[in-house]
Amino acid sequence: MSESSARASTHRPTLRALLDQMLEATMAKDKAAVLATFAPDAVFTDPHYPNPEMRGLDDIAAGLDWGFLGMERFGFTVVGSFMSEDGNSGAIEMDCEHVLASGRTLTFPQVFVAGMEEGLLVRVRAYEPYGPGGVAMAAIRVQNWLLRLRRKTAGGGRS
């Protein structure tokens, strides 16, 4: 093996390049290419999915099947990235513009915090700037309403 071949065989992508590859494959709905960026025991966490914490390639593949079925088009525009000194962990900030299978467009900012080992993603966590849904959101709204009511009542008694 020549010296240049040896160097090429040991070359590993940067975390940013790996994340870009994962996003491009997701936008192309290429499940095999997305899975090729993850280590066999990787953990992918995203609150948008029915199973928000997917462990291992089988769970991630099932999540992708669900996501690809419900989405006409994924759109990710990276607006910034922050990588650790060793290059094995970091975050990318992006603007998302997805189109659901129903035709509805979803636009929101999102951050992925990720880590890699031996040239593969071992963890990816998605963060969005909005609170929880369902019962948790209902409880938060009730608490906020009670807080506003207490402030009004306390303020009203001082006039």
Side-chain angles (χ1 to χ4, degrees):
M1 180 185 306
S2 73
E3 187 177 322
S4 63
S5 298
R7 269 195 308 250
S9 67
T10 60
H11 173 73
R12 293 198 173 111
T14 64
L15 177 59
R16 175 59 198 270
L18 199 55
L19 289 167
D20 287 344
Q21 181 183 341
M22 189 244 329
L23 294 173
E24 289 294 327
T26 301
M27 289 189 291
K29 291 187 174 183
D30 184 341
K31 182 169 81 169
V34 174
L35 292 173
T37 65
F38 284 95
D41 59 348
V43 177
F44 177 51
T45 306
D46 190 327
H48 291 122
Y49 288 78
N51 175 17
E53 185 174 274
M54 296 160 268
R55 295 184 165 275
L57 293 178
D58 288 343
D59 275 1
I60 296 169
L64 291 172
D65 287 340
W66 176 84
F68 290 170
L69 183 64
M71 201 69 68
E72 179 181 311
R73 182 179 56 79
F74 289 91
F76 299 102
T77 302
V78 176
V79 296
S81 64
F82 310 91
M83 300 297 140
S84 65
E85 209 171 289
D86 69 2
N88 290 323
S89 59
I92 56 171
E93 175 187 8
M94 63 202 119
D95 289 333
C96 299
E97 185 172 308
H98 304 326
V99 179
L100 297 174
S102 68
R104 181 174 172 220
T105 300
L106 303 175
T107 56
F108 56 93
Q110 186 172 34
V111 172
F112 281 168
V113 177
M116 75 171 195
E117 292 175 8
E118 299 182 18
L120 292 171
L121 296 168
V122 292
R123 71 182 175 286
V124 176
R125 293 182 183 149
Y127 294 92
E128 295 79 23
Y130 44 82
V135 174
M137 180 52 84
I140 290 169
R141 287 185 176 153
V142 167
Q143 290 298 318
N144 286 339
W145 178 78
L146 289 171
L147 183 60
R148 283 193 306 275
L149 184 62
R150 281 188 208 124
R151 286 181 182 155
K152 255 187 192 178
T153 304
R158 285 189 233 147
S159 311

